[in-house]
Amino acid sequence: SMKEDVASAGCFNLADCQGSSEHLQTTANTTDNDCSQGSQPEPEPEMEKPVVDSDPAAEAEAAEGENAIDDPLSDQLRLLSLTEEGASPPESSEPASALAEDRPIDVREQRRALRQSKRHGGDNPPASTEVGYVYDKRMLDHKTGKGHPEVPSRISSIHAACRPLLGQCTSIDAVRASEEDLLLGHTPEHLAEVWRCCEGIKGKAVHHFDEDTMASAGTLEAALLAAGSTINMSMRVAMGELGCGLAVVRPPGHHACPCTAMGFCVFNNVALAALKVADTLGQRVCIVDWDVHHGNGTVDIMKHLGREDILYLSIHYWQHGDFYPGTGTPSSTGLDGSEVNVAWNQPGMGDPEYMAAFSSVVSPLLQEFEPDLILVSAGFDAARGDPLGGMDVTAVGYAAMTHQLLGINPKVVICLEGGYNLQSIAQCAKAVLQVLLDQDQDQDPPCFPAPSALALADIEVTLRALHQTRWGSMAETQLALLQEERFEATHNQVACCGPTKGKTKKKRHHKPGNATAHIPKGPRRTAQAKWKDEVFKLKRRREQLEGCLKKWAAWDHRIAHAGKKPSKKELRELGDREEQELELLRVKTELVEIEDLSEEEAIQLYVSCR
């Protein structure tokens, strides 16, 4: 049984945790009933399908013969086709005017309407507009030690900033995650390790899961509450009891892998919530991760389980793999596009760049995927002033991203991940909550400046990586639009720097103008050195990639003329050809943009992104 698997892995007792006996009793009763069915081994059970109210008309038709159509979508399409051909359709509960409408069949529209009907039991009642809010002081008891950025005051500062809005919200009690829910995404060995480490901590002692991830005497309770509250909020929104919600929880979760804690995270709150909704209700779930770090734990869990029904979209700082955790390359697309990564390679990306990523990648993908629920791994460490992120997103930018998500599907759950500037995360979280409360009001979206050409180059690499997935058609359309936007951005950037003399374009070296006159000589020289170092690194990387592709071309010649194929060892040395081609395209584009900067522009860029 499930309980025996976990117990054998670490010999811990869930009943020792305060308040968790009811979850243990439920799991024990379930497993005892399973074991009482017989001693013969049973085949591995299939995923439980959601219970859907059946259509009486479809059931009556199925009872008339074996050839009756019992699929609701096929039934509706057949009725529409009969009407277009002039035949008299069978009796239907739908109005005759709707069936006789002479228009092409939109399969996507039919499927969306059917999912809505199934989700609400056929009556399709109006969804709740209540905004859920969850926060619990017990999560402050998770201590991380002196000097650690993930401090308890992160959530208390958010709660204090949101307090004036809480009268408009529906307060949700924090609940602990059950053993069964934790095992949706984590291994029994991981649960055993967490219980063993946390139960052995006394007083103010701190245990290290790794060099970044700490545990104290209150960590287990806080982690169970964070995971359980996120799951509970997500289920209530998915079932229509709430319209949307904000979960102010800690410790964060998107770095937690199936079998280990890492990156300040113990349990993967959002991944567990997505799996719970998908498995229990049969709904399509999309995870949008705007934390400045890639959610490697979420991706590992989905890959480990082979899930392609849950779409993961991430916008993060990658820096050619040098920024923590180093994962999230644009060429990593998961199972047929179930993972999509917009990976920034330069610091300082702000509201215009993030909105460009939403307009070109996130929103078109969500419209294609048509999720029933959107979960947001809402790290605010890409906010301006964050000590770890180095990005420049403001509260207005986070509010605009939230507004776009609500426009696609109002069922959105915002779950706190990272963010380590107390003032920034409080302002950003409050702005997001305000948008959740005001989503029914018609408001003009804010206008942002044009994004940088470097950001558009990174977005283009992401779209090109999606060409070979189920999103190929969407990627091709967005690439065409992006090419126009990149041309305008580059043209405007050159125009702002003034005309160049002569027939050939020369590098512009201006004396310090008003924009950089206030910068002292020390930071100015440091910025210049960073600029030159970046150019050097890109040129060196370009040479390396071109060398790798030349080796591939040589092997192509050998295969074509001598029929000799590379061995496994040689293939490992050659590397991934497609990924090398994508990276070379990005490096060349980025190199052109950086070399085109004037000295004054480079100083402004690299001083602001130190």
Side-chain angles (χ1 to χ4, degrees):
S1 68
M2 182 186 302
K3 179 172 175 57
E4 291 171 347
D5 290 340
V6 180
S8 62
C11 299
F12 66 90
N13 187 4
L14 278 176
D16 293 339
C17 302
Q18 180 181 359
S20 63
S21 59
E22 60 271 24
H23 300 299
L24 178 62
Q25 185 63 39
T26 303
T27 307
N29 293 338
T30 303
T31 53
D32 290 341
N33 292 335
D34 293 340
C35 296
S36 64
Q37 299 298 322
S39 59
Q40 295 182 355
E42 296 181 358
E44 184 176 352
E46 298 180 356
M47 182 186 301
E48 183 180 353
K49 297 183 178 179
V51 178
V52 181
D53 291 345
S54 58
D55 186 358
E59 291 180 355
E61 185 178 355
E64 294 177 1
E66 296 180 354
N67 296 327
I69 299 175
D70 57 2
D71 178 65
L73 177 59
S74 301
D75 192 33
Q76 290 197 20
L77 296 179
R78 182 174 62 85
L79 292 175
L80 288 172
S81 63
L82 286 173
T83 304
E84 290 182 348
E85 294 171 0
S88 58
E91 295 183 4
S92 172
S93 58
E94 294 290 330
S97 58
L99 293 176
E101 187 176 351
D102 186 15
R103 60 181 177 85
I105 299 173
D106 189 341
V107 177
R108 187 185 307 168
E109 181 180 342
Q110 296 289 336
R111 190 176 291 115
R112 185 189 301 115
L114 285 171
R115 280 209 307 271
Q116 289 286 344
S117 177
K118 292 178 181 179
R119 192 184 310 146
H120 299 298
D123 297 329
N124 198 17
S128 171
T129 59
E130 296 181 12
V131 178
Y133 179 88
V134 62
Y135 166 85
D136 196 291
K137 290 183 178 180
R138 288 173 289 177
M139 286 180 274
L140 299 173
D141 295 333
H142 167 54
K143 310 295 183 182
T144 52
K146 186 177 180 180
H148 198 283
E150 207 287 289
V151 293
S153 53
R154 291 176 61 244
I155 60 172
S156 59
S157 63
I158 292 176
H159 184 63
C162 294
R163 186 172 284 115
L165 304 176
L166 297 185
Q168 307 173 54
C169 301
T170 300
S171 181
I172 305 300
D173 293 334
V175 296
R176 300 178 185 85
S178 67
E179 174 190 352
E180 181 182 3
D181 290 341
L182 295 175
L183 288 172
L184 288 173
H186 294 292
T187 62
E189 290 78 14
H190 175 54
L191 271 62
E193 176 68 12
V194 172
W195 257 267
R196 183 186 64 80
C197 295
C198 293
E199 288 181 346
I201 300 174
K202 305 296 182 183
K204 296 183 179 180
V206 175
H207 171 80
H208 290 245
F209 288 112
D210 59 26
E211 60 181 0
D212 299 319
T213 311
M214 318 299 183
S216 64
T219 295
L220 181 59
E221 176 77 354
L224 289 172
L225 289 171
S229 299
T230 305
I231 294 171
N232 181 45
M233 174 85 75
S234 302
M235 287 292 291
R236 295 185 66 172
V237 171
M239 293 187 295
E241 297 178 14
L242 297 170
C244 54
L246 172 64
V248 184
V249 297
R250 67 181 289 268
H254 72 152
H255 292 308
C257 297
C259 55
T260 185
M262 67 175 291
F264 312 164
C265 306
V266 180
F267 300 129
N268 200 311
N269 309 320
V270 170
L272 294 174
L275 291 167
K276 181 71 171 181
V277 171
D279 291 351
T280 306
L281 304 178
Q283 294 190 6
R284 298 158 66 88
V285 182
C286 178
I287 300 173
V288 176
D289 191 338
W290 66 44
D291 190 284
V292 76
H293 304 92
H294 179 247
N296 62 298
T298 304
V299 171
D300 286 351
I301 288 175
M302 299 308 165
K303 285 184 177 179
H304 177 71
L305 298 174
R307 301 298 291 259
E308 55 181 304
D309 57 328
I310 298 176
L311 177 62
Y312 176 79
L313 304 175
S314 178
I315 307 175
H316 56 273
Y317 186 23
W318 187 51
Q319 200 181 19
H320 313 295
D322 292 336
F323 192 74
Y324 184 88
T327 56
T329 171
S331 60
S332 178
T333 55
L335 297 170
D336 194 24
S338 59
E339 176 191 355
V340 179
N341 295 302
V342 178
W344 306 129
N345 289 293
Q346 294 293 331
M349 301 298 180
D351 297 347
E353 289 74 28
Y354 272 74
M355 291 309 299
F358 259 68
S359 300
S360 299
V361 180
V362 177
S363 294
L365 278 173
L366 287 175
Q367 290 168 358
E368 289 281 331
F369 185 66
E370 297 179 349
D372 300 301
L373 176 69
I374 299 175
L375 300 179
V376 181
S377 283
F380 296 112
D381 41 7
R384 178 180 297 171
D386 190 272
L388 301 184
M391 294 297 170
D392 197 39
V393 185
T394 68
V396 176
Y398 284 114
M401 289 189 285
T402 306
H403 189 269
Q404 278 209 16
L405 295 178
L406 291 168
I408 296 170
N409 187 342
K411 291 190 172 184
V412 175
V413 176
I414 310 289
C415 178
L416 180 65
E417 295 284 359
Y420 309 100
N421 181 309
L422 300 184
Q423 183 178 2
S424 296
I425 63 175
Q427 293 174 349
C428 295
K430 181 181 179 181
V432 167
L433 180 58
Q434 187 69 63
V435 173
L436 296 180
L437 291 168
D438 295 343
Q439 61 177 298
D440 293 332
Q441 301 180 9
D442 293 331
Q443 298 178 351
D444 295 331
C447 296
F448 297 100
S452 68
L454 295 176
L456 296 180
D458 291 335
I459 294 172
E460 180 179 345
V461 174
T462 299
L463 291 172
R464 292 191 181 280
L466 296 176
H467 259 290
Q468 304 302 320
T469 69
R470 50 180 154 165
W471 316 119
S473 177
M474 180 280 301
E476 186 175 353
T477 302
Q478 293 302 318
L479 270 173
L481 298 173
L482 192 68
Q483 292 289 352
E484 298 178 7
E485 192 172 359
R486 282 193 63 192
F487 175 79
E488 293 177 3
T490 304
H491 177 74
N492 293 337
Q493 185 181 35
V494 174
C496 291
C497 298
T500 56
K501 296 181 180 181
K503 294 183 179 180
T504 59
K505 189 174 181 181
K506 299 179 181 179
K507 291 185 179 181
R508 301 178 299 278
H509 296 280
H510 298 299
K511 293 181 180 180
N514 295 332
T516 59
H518 65 284
I519 301 175
K521 289 184 179 180
R524 179 186 297 276
R525 290 172 181 170
T526 303
Q528 290 172 334
K530 286 183 178 180
W531 177 33
K532 294 178 181 179
D533 182 61
E534 188 71 26
V535 172
F536 172 77
K537 287 181 178 179
L538 287 172
K539 287 182 176 179
R540 185 174 59 181
R541 184 57 180 160
R542 181 186 62 184
E543 293 174 358
Q544 292 173 348
L545 291 169
E546 287 175 344
C548 293
L549 293 176
K550 285 181 181 178
K551 292 180 181 179
W552 272 111
W555 270 110
D556 289 341
H557 185 269
R558 292 182 192 177
I559 294 172
H561 292 82
K564 183 180 179 182
K565 295 183 180 180
S567 64
K568 291 183 178 179
K569 180 180 179 181
E570 289 169 330
L571 285 173
R572 286 196 299 269
E573 292 174 353
L574 287 170
D576 190 325
R577 184 175 190 170
E578 183 179 353
E579 185 171 342
Q580 290 167 357
E581 291 174 344
L582 286 171
E583 186 177 358
L584 180 60
L585 172 66
R586 181 192 54 74
V587 168
K588 285 182 176 180
T589 305
E590 192 171 336
L591 187 58
V592 169
E593 302 296 345
I594 291 180
E595 286 185 318
D596 189 57
L597 293 173
S598 68
E599 186 174 347
E600 188 173 350
E601 292 169 334
I603 291 172
Q604 282 183 292
L605 175 64
Y606 286 92
V607 166
S608 62
C609 302
R610 283 186 297 165

